[in-house]
Amino acid sequence: MEKEIDINKVVRQHLEMEQFFTGFALKGKDIKSEQQKPEDNMTNAEKAAELEKIADEVNQCRKCSLGSLRTNAVPGEGDSNARIMFVGEGPGADEDAQGRPFVGRAGQLLDKIITAMGLKRSEVFIGNVIKCRPPENRDPRADEIISCLPYLQRQIEIINPEIIVALGAPAAKTLLNTNKSIGQLRGLFHEYYAGLGRPPIKLMPTYHTAYLLRNYSQENRKRVWEDMKKVLAELGLPVPEHGRK
Ligand code: URA
């Protein structure tokens, strides 16, 4: 617990420093402009090509020690023009073996949730805060998050989703630059700022599917499903009557 708080503090300090020196605000309501970034005018093919470039960089990345410990990096995958982006913490053993995000048990549950939402996995983008598996699935260290985060920030900028679903505390806390618990954050829309002059992107934190598997109570499943119904409603998509039981 103590360790988690320290990591979060270091990442927060780094992000605040970056914001101070670049004027780039990750959150806050004060920066508003109609000005659009070039990414907003990119074609789907151009977006896909940019994402491919990032994936190539991730696959070659040696910015932290995880780069030499991985079997495969896991850059993320999905629709380059997705309306929803799911963001987890980092790859586990199955993801490391295959080089694809959310393909283990937690991924199978995520697939079920996406299907229950009336969507296909290929219609969303699925990524992670860190792109390489920490040994023994330990928590990522602050330096690893700081080295890796720019890849995710660029992916979000290019995809420019309408909603980011942050799966679990590490993703939510990192993207929102907060130390609040997932219990406090989930179920409410927050704002993620992808850069100067860009409107905020709505971010819905919810429980990670791995947490849900470990704590598979009807109450927790209902909470996640309620969060996903809010996401669908916000996008103007049909909200199925019955979620997963
Ligand atoms: N958990 C994550 O956070 N990400 C994955 O890709 C798989 C499991």
Side-chain angles (χ1 to χ4, degrees), residues 74 87-92 95 100-104 106-107 126-130 167 208-210:
V74 182
V87 177
E89 175 180 347
E95 290 76 22
R100 297 182 56 213
F102 281 92
V103 290
I126 303 176
N128 281 302
V129 172
I130 61 160
L167 296 162
H208 195 292
T209 46

Side-chain angles (χ1 to χ4, degrees), residues 71-74 77 90-108 121 128 133-134 137 213:
T71 309
N72 288 293
V74 182
E77 66 183 26
D94 294 303
E95 290 76 22
D96 176 69
Q98 294 186 41
R100 297 182 56 213
F102 281 92
V103 290
R105 280 186 70 224
Q108 283 155 20
R121 187 175 160 117
N128 281 302
R133 181 193 181 211
N137 292 344
L213 285 171

Side-chain angles (χ1 to χ4, degrees), residues 153-236:
Q153 289 170 329
R154 284 167 60 199
Q155 287 172 322
I156 295 172
E157 250 186 88
I158 290 160
I159 296 164
N160 198 16
E162 285 162 69
I163 294 186
I164 298 168
V165 175
L167 296 162
K173 287 168 150 189
T174 303
L175 289 174
L176 294 173
N177 195 17
T178 180
N179 209 18
K180 288 190 180 157
S181 71
I182 188 70
Q184 289 172 290
L185 294 169
R186 65 148 285 277
L188 300 169
F189 281 110
H190 301 261
E191 290 182 337
Y192 171 85
Y193 276 79
L196 274 177
R198 301 189 64 160
I201 296 171
K202 290 196 161 63
L203 186 148
M204 172 61 76
T206 195
Y207 292 133
H208 195 292
T209 46
Y211 170 85
L212 211 49
L213 285 171
R214 288 193 305 271
N215 302 275
Y216 207 62
S217 65
Q218 191 155 6
E219 212 176 29
N220 283 337
R221 281 178 286 173
K222 189 160 176 265
R223 285 185 181 130
V224 172
W225 184 238
E226 289 303 318
D227 299 346
M228 294 307 100
K229 284 204 295 191
K230 287 181 189 167
V231 167
L232 290 171
E234 187 63 33
L235 292 171

